[in-house]
Amino acid sequence: MPIPASINLRPFHEADTEFFAGMAADERVTRFIGDGQPWDQETIQVRIRAALQQDPLDAGGSSRWFLAAEATEPVGIVVSTRKNEGIEIGYWVSPDHWGRGIAGAMVNSALVTIPEVYGTQELIARVDPANAASAKLLTRNGFKLESHHEGLDHYTLA
């Protein structure tokens, strides 16, 4: 597997809407998210409005989205959301960049950026059990499978 260039995370901006919408409407990207179906335009717009809202970081449900870029090219999105158990992270990689180690580089960047943003090392992730690649990536980066609830495997950063 080729080593990807350094992945930089920067805050998600309204100008990133088209990139995100393309992934959200792609069944390859959404197959392990929610009901597994591509998102319709209304759902995409609701999520983007929420991403741009910038609620206080200490409020339950507050989230920050990050555009992941390799040099200046968008390659994915990292999402972080405050939950009772910790800060939940999620990541989407553009199919144009699959198989290049981008997800791993995104998670590595997230493990530095998200604790700095929220001021806590308590990170969690929820993964569809059928998404073996994501589960392997999380465990390789220090996450431990804690439980299975509501159809998802729950991981915490050990």
Side-chain angles (χ1 to χ4, degrees):
M1 173 186 320
I3 306 283
S6 178
I7 297 298
N8 297 306
L9 298 183
R10 67 149 172 81
F12 183 86
H13 300 295
E14 192 167 348
D16 304 321
T17 297
E18 185 177 337
F19 173 73
F20 172 72
M23 286 196 303
D26 189 322
E27 63 189 13
R28 297 171 296 172
V29 176
T30 61
R31 78 178 196 175
F32 294 120
I33 299 167
D35 65 2
Q37 298 300 308
W39 293 6
D40 59 38
Q41 287 303 310
E42 181 180 344
T43 301
I44 292 169
Q45 291 308 314
V46 166
R47 296 293 174 96
I48 288 170
R49 279 193 299 277
L52 296 170
Q53 192 165 320
Q54 302 291 305
D55 290 329
L57 288 170
D58 59 350
S62 65
S63 70
R64 295 295 185 269
W65 287 27
F66 302 90
L67 181 83
E70 182 180 32
T72 59
E73 183 178 1
V75 295
I77 299 286
V78 173
V79 177
S80 60
T81 306
R82 182 173 291 280
K83 305 282 185 176
N84 290 337
E85 314 85 70
I87 308 304
E88 181 177 359
I89 66 167
Y91 40 90
W92 296 17
V93 177
S94 170
D96 295 342
H97 299 282
W98 286 2
R100 299 183 43 240
I102 296 293
M106 286 171 52
V107 169
N108 288 338
S109 293
L111 291 178
V112 173
T113 302
I114 292 173
E116 288 176 357
V117 169
Y118 286 90
T120 181
Q121 295 288 329
E122 295 177 21
L123 302 182
I124 62 173
R126 294 181 300 155
V127 178
D128 184 316
N131 191 347
S134 191
K136 183 177 178 181
L137 173 63
L138 288 170
T139 56
R140 191 170 53 234
N141 281 281
F143 284 80
K144 178 181 164 193
L145 177 61
E146 292 289 332
S147 64
H148 181 83
H149 184 67
E150 296 179 352
L152 297 172
D153 289 339
H154 292 241
Y155 290 81
T156 58
L157 185 61

